[in-house]
Amino acid sequence: MKSDLLDKMHVFSSEYRKTAMVSYVVVLVCCLINYVISGSNNNNKIFVDNIGGRFVLPDSREATFHGICLTESSTLQTVSGLVDITDEKASGLKELGFNVIRVGFHWNLYEYQPKVFNETYLLQLESLVNRLGSRHGFYIILDMHQDQMSERFCAGHGIPSFYANVNLPEFNNNGTKAYPQPIAIPDYNASAIHPPLIKCKPFLHKHHGSAVSLYTYYLGKAFQNLYDNVNGTLDAYGHFWRKVALQFSDNPYILAYEILNEPWYG
């Protein structure tokens, strides 16, 4: 039975990689609409030459992008969940030929309670974007970065845990689809007050990392609830992005918004 489950996980993983790559490209192309104006140089922004399909800078030079991804790092944080790219490191990246940085940030650190936002976090993100753009000439892709969706799951982050809750009996503690079924029978931590309620360290060690949570009933259903707007979760996500987009609407350094890192298929 365990062998059959691992075979299924391998198939799911292979199909997911194909789907995720297509989704990633579609999301990035769609998100360029906000800052890449097709066919004409409006508002002094980068635009796309609709004859040759080239990216063109405001001064009419053709743009060629060389990008690098920098999300969160335990050793590069002065603001929780926001990578600290020092001027020294930014200069080094520029010398290597990079001109675009994909900067990760988290919905759960901005909306820390339902409809309650930490505006300081967004201002800190804006400060980072402005410094990288004005001092070092980088364009920025803002990436709403999630891994394993939420802190509701072992080593997860990105989406607020209150939007990752599944209110169905079979997903409750000891239910047939309780986290982390079907990967493992829940081994609850008696002292845990907030999710995840299981003993994460031995679970992650046994299953070789946090990605295994993607194959649990609970995480899959939580993602599907987001896509299906159960209890208004997708509306909340849209509200989050509207606030972010308004904050950066006139920012000359934003190249694109990545709506959701590595969307799981639900």
Side-chain angles (χ1 to χ4, degrees):
M1 182 175 179
K2 183 175 180 181
S3 177
D4 290 343
L5 178 60
L6 291 174
D7 288 342
K8 290 178 182 178
M9 287 170 61
H10 177 73
V11 172
F12 289 161
S13 180
S14 298
E15 292 302 314
Y16 167 68
R17 284 194 294 269
K18 296 174 186 176
T19 304
M21 181 59 68
V22 173
S23 300
Y24 181 79
V25 172
V26 170
V27 165
L28 283 182
V29 170
C30 290
C31 291
L32 283 168
I33 292 173
N34 189 67
Y35 276 92
V36 178
I37 313 300
S38 179
S40 61
N41 190 0
N42 296 326
N43 300 321
N44 203 35
K45 295 177 180 177
I46 297 172
F47 69 100
V48 176
D49 174 9
N50 54 20
I51 296 177
R54 301 171 302 125
F55 289 104
V56 181
L57 295 170
D59 61 6
S60 299
R61 291 179 297 147
E62 181 175 349
T64 300
F65 299 120
H66 302 279
I68 187 170
C69 173
L70 296 174
T71 56
E72 65 285 338
S73 169
S74 60
T75 59
L76 288 177
Q77 287 187 23
T78 53
V79 177
S80 177
L82 188 62
V83 64
D84 181 17
I85 307 169
T86 64
D87 286 333
E88 180 182 3
K89 292 184 182 297
S91 297
L93 291 173
K94 200 68 178 180
E95 290 174 2
L96 291 172
F98 293 108
N99 59 2
V100 175
I101 299 179
R102 176 182 180 245
V103 174
F105 72 114
H106 302 308
W107 179 13
N108 67 295
L109 294 179
Y110 185 30
E111 186 175 358
Y112 61 96
Q113 294 178 14
K115 300 181 180 179
V116 180
F117 294 85
N118 178 6
E119 300 299 344
T120 299
Y121 179 68
L122 199 62
L123 291 174
Q124 290 166 328
L125 175 62
E126 184 180 33
S127 176
L128 175 62
V129 168
N130 288 340
R131 180 167 57 82
L132 293 174
S134 63
R135 294 186 188 178
H136 304 283
F138 283 107
Y139 290 101
I140 305 299
I141 296 172
L142 284 184
D143 156 41
M144 203 310 284
H145 201 82
Q146 67 79 30
D147 292 298
Q148 288 65 255
M149 190 178 194
S150 165
E151 292 177 341
R152 175 168 289 279
F153 308 104
C154 293
H157 58 253
I159 294 175
S161 60
F162 43 84
Y163 291 134
N165 188 40
V166 178
N167 293 312
L168 293 171
E170 60 269 33
F171 291 89
N172 292 340
N173 286 3
N174 298 313
T176 57
K177 295 186 176 181
Y179 179 75
Q181 296 275 21
I183 302 302
I185 296 172
D187 183 12
Y188 292 111
N189 181 354
S191 63
I193 301 174
H194 304 290
L197 301 176
I198 69 167
K199 298 175 183 177
C200 282
K201 188 173 181 179
F203 171 70
L204 296 177
H205 178 75
K206 180 177 180 180
H207 297 284
H208 310 292
S210 60
V212 70
S213 289
L214 295 170
Y215 303 100
T216 62
Y217 294 130
Y218 202 121
L219 187 145
K221 181 61 174 174
F223 259 113
Q224 194 62 50
N225 283 353
L226 173 65
Y227 303 147
D228 293 342
N229 199 28
V230 174
N231 297 323
T233 52
L234 191 60
D235 291 337
Y237 197 35
H239 181 61
F240 154 78
W241 266 117
R242 278 193 294 272
K243 287 177 67 65
V244 174
L246 283 171
Q247 185 73 25
F248 289 94
S249 60
D250 295 321
N251 194 298
Y253 310 118
I254 298 294
L255 178 64
Y257 299 129
E258 184 174 351
I259 300 300
L260 182 65
N261 172 61
E262 298 177 2
W264 192 236
Y265 52 67

